[in-house]
Amino acid sequence: MEQTYQYAWIIPFLPLLVPMLIGVGLLLFPTATKNLRRMWAFPSILLLSIVMIFATNLSIQQINTSSIYQYVCSWTLNNDFSLEFGYLIDPLTSIMLILITTVGIMVLIYSDNYMAHDQGYLRFFAYMSFFSTSMLGLVISSNLVQIYIFWELVGMCSYLLIGFWFTRPPAANACQKAFVTNRVGDFGLLLGILGFYWITGSFEFRDLFEIFNNLISNNEVNCPFVTLCAVLLFAGAVAKSAQFPLHVWLPDAMEGPTPISALIHAATMVAAGIFLVARLLPLFIVIPYIMNFISLIGLITVLLGATLALAQKDIKRGLAYSTMSQLGYIMLALGMGSYRSALFHLITHAYSKALLFLGSGSVIHSMETVVGYSPDKSQNMVLMGGLRKHVPITKTSFFLGTLSLCGIPPLACFWSKDEILNDSWLYSPIFAIIAWATAGLTAFYMFRIYLLTFEGHLNVHFQNYSGSQNTPLYSISLWGKECSQKINKNFRLLRMNNNESFSFCSKKTYRSDETLRKTNRGRPFINIVHKDTKNPFSYPYESDNTMLFPLLVLVLFTLFVGFLGIPFNQKGRDLDILAEWLAPSINLLHQKSKDSTNWYEFLKDAVFSVSIAYLGIFLASFLYKPIYSSFKNFDLINLFVKTGPKRSRWDKILNVLYDWSYNRAYIDAFYTTSFTGAIRGLAQLTDFFDRRVIDGITNGVGIMSFFVGEGIKYVGSGRISSYLFFYFSCVSIFFISLLIYTF
């Protein structure tokens, strides 16, 4: 066992070989390296698989022995200061290593096919491997200096990955927004690290915790200053994990390729902030008010992320706000002191969200067959619908991931979210009510995404369902209602390949030819040409096996990883593997309780949470049912379209809520106006001062010197007659002035 720990330092350096080899290959053999570019996926997956095997071995040893191993190498600069480097292997490290490697391997396998036709294939795998190196180095760091170094490397990699398609202006703006927003948190993190070093004189976690606890017990610290330093440390986690108010970069970061969204925003980068808070939790516990502040930020993020996800059209943005909300649950659990529940939900959410992101990538990949390469169209849920017929494996995988995130047993997120919700009652009833209500919202917006994407009929090909010209035209509302609304018949939804426009409200009716589509299932897409039109209808198709294999593996994780933390004993057998893994664990809410939860309490709490989830699912199904079946139910249509003062007032309320959610609670607009606008105004003022004042003074001195020199040049010409003329002129002026003054 000792030998295994001794070689743990090699973990972050194995994936680093891939970008190094790619760089050397492009320098020495550029043509061969580019021609054999698909070959580089294999070493990327192989090296990360070796790291996964190593991490699995460490995790097994952690479960069996509950040991902690730390290796430190001291670099002495002088007698008063020494810089130490090393690595720390404990339960938190082993959990993060398993998450990074397992999700990373699935994303790399998926990316081999997803990015196959992209010109930046080599650059993509070099960035991904370097990002894995940064994350692995972050989680094994033994001190705050190493944490900060790898923290910045993670930020740099995220900038490169989000802006991977940097020629697209939205992607370029998104990576800059993520970089600048994270710089705010990183600056706070740096100040916090320096502040605690000034207090304790150490960067090492063990020494830092021990010295600080002694100072607190002896009342030898300045509490306001310590609280400020802790808030600054937490600011780094707030930015990296997209917590309020530094969450604005996460939805825009969806401009990168979908595999990047799955890796960065499900299991790695956004989990870095959670890791930092979990690592420093022994420090935060003894600082007044900081735990309450952490839980408050987590609760605000939970509610804000869920409400902002309600009206998003982009499937990836909806999942991004879902990630923000679920990370808020984890931060809430850490703030409550429920360390085990937080890490449990981190594990289950990582696999479920990776499944959902990769599933959305499969959907986008299939929609590009119909709409072409256009993220505004291929990711727009308004144009989707009915995809269950075309991508059945993706649909099943996405459905299971959706159920898991909704908290439906026995899927993974049910077990972890249920623990957080139950612990919230012990912490604060107000927090608990908000957390439980948000659980219902989670089920609502997740099923909204599922129903708009997979149920009904393909909305790209949607035409007026009724052939009657007198029938009112019904527009698809993202809130799920069919609104009686006149639509401009010249409204163009989609530009087809033959340069002919296709309208929502064409008079020709569309009928899917199921027989022809089934007989041609093996083709990449089907064109059905009607006799009365020349416009072909293309259909989405299922992704290749290389993309489906990671989905199926993540489905297995989603189904079974929740059983790691079953919180009860039966017949003397402890089924809680996670508790053994995390022992000894911090739990401020159950300090007096040593026994596991019994069946009755567990079922009572579970029934309540599942009931709320089913309520959200029912409301989503009622509002977002397929539009064609709603057209058949005229009573339902009349119920929705019925006008009157109450109906008008209700529509106004819904429109206000919709605008608030769709416009991201106007937080981005506020930041743009207040911060971005103020900085640009200050820059313009500085530019004006520099050009007009500073340059004006310099140019004025130069002009004055020029004219003075020109004048002196003519006076000092070397001619005696000029000197005499100047002399007598000055004497004459002097005597004239004297006479005038005298008389």
Side-chain angles (χ1 to χ4, degrees), residues 211-222:
I211 295 172
F212 190 76
N213 284 331
N214 292 334
L215 293 175
I216 288 290
S217 60
N218 297 328
N219 198 19
E220 298 178 358
V221 295
N222 186 351

Side-chain angles (χ1 to χ4, degrees), residues 171-219:
N173 294 332
C175 68
Q176 293 174 17
K177 187 175 184 179
F179 188 80
V180 172
T181 306
N182 278 277
R183 291 290 71 74
V184 176
D186 294 352
F187 183 65
L189 176 64
L190 178 61
L191 293 179
I193 291 173
L194 296 177
F196 276 104
Y197 178 77
W198 186 77
I199 295 171
T200 62
S202 177
F203 292 113
E204 292 293 323
F205 292 124
R206 286 188 176 183
D207 298 338
L208 179 66
F209 298 156
E210 183 178 354
I211 295 172
F212 190 76
N213 284 331
N214 292 334
L215 293 175
I216 288 290
S217 60
N218 297 328
N219 198 19

Side-chain angles (χ1 to χ4, degrees), residues 262-283:
L263 182 64
I264 291 183
H265 307 126
T268 51
M269 178 180 170
V270 293
I274 303 296
F275 168 79
L276 180 66
V277 176
R279 176 64 77 200
L280 297 177
L281 199 61
L283 185 70

Side-chain angles (χ1 to χ4, degrees), residues 629-644:
S629 61
S630 297
F631 276 129
K632 296 178 182 179
N633 189 348
F634 293 103
D635 294 333
L636 183 61
I637 292 178
N638 292 331
L639 175 63
F640 279 134
V641 180
K642 183 178 179 181
T643 58

